[in-house]
Amino acid sequence: MIEVIQRPSVRKADKPDVIMSRMDYVIICQVIERLNEIGMTDDELSFLLGKANNYVFGFIIKPSDKNRFNEDQIDLLPYILKCPFSKIIPNGTEPGNIQLYHTGGIPDEGYKGFSHIVYSPSGEGTRIIWKKKNAPKGSTRKTNKTLLDLLKRWINEGYFDEKRDALEVYKKLNTEYKIVFQISELEKCIKILCSIRHELLEKESIDGVLKYWKKV
């Protein structure tokens, strides 16, 4: 879960650290809100977008980073986040740019996150903090054995003879099977199948999206 904290700021505006499209900023805010509503983590979203863990939080959400959701990713967000497109880009979103001031990390033990200030036309500042708890050291996720066995069966049946991305696998599971699983469990199972111990799947980033296929 990404915590969102807003509080008044009396710090005076100087030169902005970041100037970005207002639409890009709104999309980030809406995605954070929707993730919290449905209980999906930013790492799970990163996985379904075909990216490594921390991609969404460490690159897209980080105010000082120039990475933003691209058009292909934005088209996927309504399906992944189970919402209409208007939830991602609300009607009436103003055009133009937004300026972010005093961007940086947060000195909050046990958390990682980012802070920035936005100013209203009247000059009133609001500090906005996006943060999430660090994963406990040594924590491990339990393996979903039913899901792992199903993926192994798909490998034997030839499904992974073609290169597949995580979202393709996720869609197939949701539409063709009545299996209960978390997205993080799917990620772990695929990671296991790609590991040296099993060596059943290969993986590679192709055109910026991680793909998985049967190791031969």
Side-chain angles (χ1 to χ4, degrees):
M1 179 177 178
I2 299 173
E3 297 181 37
V4 180
I5 300 170
Q6 297 185 13
R7 56 173 179 252
S9 174
V10 296
R11 192 170 184 177
K12 291 185 178 180
D14 196 1
K15 183 180 178 181
D17 294 331
V18 176
I19 300 175
M20 63 186 293
S21 157
R22 185 176 296 276
M23 182 177 293
D24 285 338
Y25 184 78
V26 167
I27 291 171
I28 290 171
C29 294
Q30 293 298 111
V31 166
I32 291 173
E33 180 179 300
R34 186 59 184 161
L35 286 173
N36 291 337
E37 286 176 350
I38 65 176
M40 182 183 291
T41 69
D42 60 281
D43 282 339
E44 289 176 325
L45 176 57
S46 297
F47 171 68
L48 292 182
L49 290 175
K51 300 294 186 179
N53 278 351
N54 204 46
Y55 167 77
V56 169
F57 193 78
F59 293 92
I60 302 297
I61 290 176
K62 185 178 181 180
S64 60
D65 199 286
K66 293 183 179 180
N67 283 287
R68 304 290 178 242
F69 288 113
N70 61 43
E71 289 186 11
D72 290 338
Q73 292 169 338
I74 292 171
D75 287 342
L76 297 174
L77 289 176
Y79 174 81
I80 295 173
L81 300 179
K82 302 174 183 177
C83 65
F85 194 77
S86 60
K87 181 71 174 175
I88 306 300
I89 305 178
N91 296 328
T93 298
E94 296 180 11
N97 295 326
I98 186 171
Q99 298 179 341
L100 310 184
Y101 296 81
H102 308 296
T103 61
I106 58 168
D108 197 340
E109 187 175 352
Y111 287 84
K112 56 183 174 182
F114 313 104
S115 169
H116 62 280
I117 297 175
V118 294
Y119 290 93
S120 69
S122 62
E124 296 176 341
T126 301
R127 178 173 292 280
I128 298 173
I129 299 171
W130 295 323
K131 68 177 186 177
K132 67 175 184 176
K133 288 183 178 180
N134 291 322
K137 291 184 178 180
S139 61
T140 57
R141 294 166 293 179
K142 187 176 180 180
T143 302
N144 186 326
K145 187 71 166 50
T146 302
L147 180 58
L148 182 63
D149 289 343
L150 178 58
L151 293 175
K152 287 180 178 178
R153 195 179 87 200
W154 287 3
I155 293 172
N156 293 331
E157 292 175 349
Y159 175 71
F160 283 101
D161 288 354
E162 296 182 26
K163 295 178 180 180
R164 310 285 185 179
D165 60 47
L167 189 57
E168 287 180 84
V169 180
Y170 176 72
K171 285 181 177 179
K172 183 176 175 66
L173 286 166
N174 279 334
T175 56
E176 299 181 19
Y177 293 85
K178 294 181 179 179
I179 181 172
V180 178
F181 69 97
Q182 299 291 325
I183 298 168
S184 59
E185 292 176 329
L186 174 59
E187 180 192 7
K188 182 177 182 181
C189 287
I190 290 181
K191 186 176 182 179
I192 289 172
L193 296 172
C194 293
S195 67
I196 296 175
R197 179 183 173 186
H198 289 80
E199 290 191 319
L200 293 176
L201 291 179
E202 299 264 22
K203 76 171 180 178
E204 183 182 348
S205 180
I206 300 174
D207 295 328
V209 176
L210 285 171
K211 300 277 188 176
Y212 308 91
W213 66 94
K214 183 178 180 179
K215 186 177 179 67
V216 294

